């Protein structure tokens, strides 16, 4: 059966269309648009009217594309920036009107559980405890559990690539002092976080998958520091051309890498890039509900 997920995040709005059979997922189509809701919030944490219209219109287009591809059901979810927004309900109403589906604003715990569900299926064959780390634009989720028992511990930390970049990494490329400030902010945000011991750790989300292009799938601390140095070695436009990445993503990567550096010190084993997470978890949930 074919299902689709529209994921409205703090930095990007994405579509995944996939077939599901016996808990196995096969991607049919994927789309990504940098809508940057988090950066658009005004001092009162409101999403501006033009951004509301932009995102709702895009959701309508993505829903139409999913249906044209034969999706039996389309789900729409939103994460940290919409959780934070004081007019998130306006966006939900606009998305439902444009796309014909309700917008589910996920709690941090729900986001962590769905990311874990998607990543754990993609990793497969894990003996022991798995940590799934999802660095988003407005928050970072860590979920720990097993494939058989699901999530046993989860936490959502209110720091992500967009938030950190806006607060500390203003220059292009960031200065060494700004990078040090970002690392300090991450350390402060993670000071209270104490996950249980894990055997394997997976990193999902835009920063992790983009890092794969620079340093490969094994995100050791050395690899993370190498990736950070490479994206900060020249202005974002130049680095984007060098590495074949969207310039919007390159601007966010120093902040996302700083978060991953802090988390790598918490989870112990080296982080491995996994190209599945929240959207895959939503699609799997749709398939289970339809069975």
């Amino acid at each position: 059966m074919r299902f689709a997920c529209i994921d409205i995040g703090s930095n990007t709005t994405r579509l995944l269309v996939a077939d599901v059979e016996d808990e196995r997922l096969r991607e049919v189509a994927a789309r990504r648009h940098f809508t940057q809701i988090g950066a658009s919030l005004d001092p009162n944490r409101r999403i501006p009217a033009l951004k509301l219209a932009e995102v709702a219109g895009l959701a309508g287009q993505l829903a139409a594309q999913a249906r044209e591809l034969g999706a039996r059901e389309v789900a729409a979810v939103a994460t940290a920036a919409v959780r934070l927004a004081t007019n998130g309900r306006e966006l939900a109403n606009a998305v439902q009107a444009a796309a014909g589906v309700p917008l589910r604003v996920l709690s941090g715990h729900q986001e962590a559980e769905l990311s874990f569900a998607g990543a754990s299926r993609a990793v497969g064959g894990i003996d022991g405890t798995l940590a799934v780390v999802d660095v988003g634009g407005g928050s970072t989720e860590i979920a720990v559990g097993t494939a058989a028992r699901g999530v046993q511990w989860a936490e959502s930390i209110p720091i992500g690539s967009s938030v950190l970049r806006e607060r500390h990494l203003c220059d292009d490329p960031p200065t060494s002092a700004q990078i040090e400030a970002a690392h300090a902010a991450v350390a402060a945000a993670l000071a209270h976080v104490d996950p249980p011991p894990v055997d394997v750790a997976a990193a999902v989300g835009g920063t992790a998958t983009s890092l794969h292009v620079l340093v490969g799938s094994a995100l050791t601390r050395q690899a993370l520091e190498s990736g950070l140095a490479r994206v900060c070695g020249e202005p974002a436009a130049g680095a984007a051309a060098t590495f074949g990445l969207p310039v919007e993503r390159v601007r966010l990567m120093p902040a996302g890498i700083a978060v991953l550096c802090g988390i790598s010190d918490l989870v112990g084993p080296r982080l491995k890039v996994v190209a599945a997470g929240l959207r895959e978890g939503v699609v799997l949930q749709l398939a289970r509900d339809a069975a």
Side-chain angles (χ1 to χ4, degrees):
M1 293 185 290
R2 185 164 294 180
F3 300 93
C5 172
I6 299 168
D7 169 16
I8 300 175
S10 299
N11 293 324
T12 58
T13 296
R14 296 173 180 254
L15 170 70
L16 171 68
V17 181
D19 291 333
V20 182
E21 183 177 1
D22 296 330
E23 292 285 309
R24 293 190 298 272
L25 186 149
R26 182 181 68 84
E27 181 182 301
V28 174
R31 307 281 187 270
R32 178 193 60 202
H33 301 266
F34 283 92
T35 43
Q36 298 178 316
I37 294 176
S40 78
L41 296 179
D42 69 18
N44 295 316
R45 293 185 295 154
R46 291 182 59 82
I47 304 169
L50 287 176
K51 185 62 68 175
L52 286 172
E54 175 195 345
V55 174
L58 176 59
Q61 295 171 24
L62 296 177
Q65 292 172 21
R67 294 182 181 112
E68 289 170 3
L69 289 167
R72 170 176 173 170
E73 189 173 348
V74 180
V77 298
T79 55
V82 183
R83 282 198 297 270
L84 181 65
T86 54
N87 61 337
R89 174 49 54 189
E90 290 182 41
L91 179 63
N93 292 339
V95 167
Q96 179 146 16
V101 295
L103 178 63
R104 180 184 175 195
V105 181
L106 301 173
S107 69
H109 191 85
Q110 290 170 330
E111 187 177 352
E113 288 188 327
L114 288 165
S115 292
F116 184 91
S120 62
R121 294 296 177 189
V123 173
I126 294 297
D127 293 324
T129 304
L130 170 69
V132 174
V133 177
D134 187 355
V135 179
S139 67
T140 295
E141 280 65 46
I142 309 174
V144 176
T146 64
R149 297 176 61 188
V151 174
Q152 297 162 285
W153 179 96
E155 186 146 356
S156 179
I157 302 107
I159 193 166
S161 58
S162 180
V163 172
L164 200 62
R165 176 178 176 268
E166 290 170 18
R167 291 178 182 171
H168 299 288
L169 303 169
C170 305
D171 289 350
D172 181 21
T175 66
S176 58
Q178 289 171 353
I179 292 169
E180 289 177 10
H183 281 300
V186 171
L190 296 176
H192 71 287
V193 180
D194 186 22
V198 302
D199 301 301
V200 181
V204 305
T207 296
T209 53
S210 297
L211 267 170
H212 187 277
V213 176
L214 276 69
V215 299
S217 62
L219 301 183
T220 62
R221 185 58 184 261
Q222 182 179 4
L224 289 169
E225 291 174 355
S226 173
L228 182 59
R230 295 181 76 185
V231 295
C232 293
E234 58 183 319
T242 299
F243 302 118
L245 294 169
V247 66
E248 297 93 341
R249 174 58 62 194
V250 173
R251 290 192 181 105
L252 294 163
M253 283 183 70
I257 295 171
V259 177
L260 285 172
C261 284
I263 289 175
S264 71
D265 295 336
L266 286 178
V267 299
R270 70 183 185 187
L271 292 163
K272 178 180 179 180
V273 178
V274 174
L278 174 62
R279 290 171 295 285
E280 288 77 9
V282 172
V283 165
L284 288 167
Q285 185 179 69
L286 288 175
R288 293 188 195 105
D289 291 345

